[in-house]
Amino acid sequence: MASFSLDDIRAAAERKYGSTDIEFGGETVRLLNPLRLPKGRRDELMSLQDQLGKDDTDQAEVLAQAIRTVAESEKAADKLLKEVGGDLALLAEIFGHYGESTQVGEASASQG
């Protein structure tokens, strides 16, 4: 029979469902995997993703709110968003990297 410690399981979960880390100016902002978010924040993220597909949506505002939702803290999100300065291309690229790294089964391969 296989036996695992809780630490083993935590390490496996971190490898598979770890954060997406964005580095800038000596700072690192962790964007948490949706599975690591509390239910309320997961629900908010799903709602924001639904809004992105609508024609009348301010894409920059919705992407910024999505980053606030998944960031490890409000302070960290504010630092990143201040650095981005509302640049829609940068927001889309950050959220794109986040989406790629949070695909189940992909995170462990891409994080090496």
Side-chain angles (χ1 to χ4, degrees):
M1 176 188 266
S3 176
F4 300 94
S5 71
L6 187 53
D7 287 341
D8 293 337
I9 293 169
R10 282 187 180 117
E14 185 60 31
R15 281 191 304 275
K16 192 168 186 178
Y17 305 109
S19 64
T20 300
D21 297 348
I22 308 293
E23 298 177 7
F24 61 95
E27 300 275 342
T28 300
V29 173
R30 296 180 70 215
L31 305 180
L32 304 176
N33 185 294
L35 295 177
R36 307 304 288 274
L37 294 172
K39 183 178 179 351
R41 287 174 63 188
R42 279 194 313 271
D43 291 346
E44 183 178 350
L45 179 60
M46 287 175 36
S47 174
L48 290 166
Q49 288 174 316
D50 289 343
Q51 289 178 36
L52 285 173
K54 297 179 181 175
D55 291 335
D56 61 343
T57 298
D58 180 340
Q59 300 285 319
E61 181 57 37
V62 173
L63 288 170
Q65 188 57 41
I67 289 169
R68 280 188 179 92
T69 301
V70 301
E72 68 180 326
S73 72
E74 188 175 330
K75 184 178 178 180
D78 288 344
K79 285 181 181 181
L80 178 59
L81 292 170
K82 181 179 179 184
E83 190 72 20
V84 168
D87 185 325
L88 181 57
L90 289 177
L91 290 167
E93 197 64 24
I94 288 168
F95 203 70
H97 283 291
Y98 173 77
E100 290 172 12
S101 70
T102 61
Q103 296 297 313
V104 174
E106 296 288 325
S108 60
S110 65
Q111 291 181 359

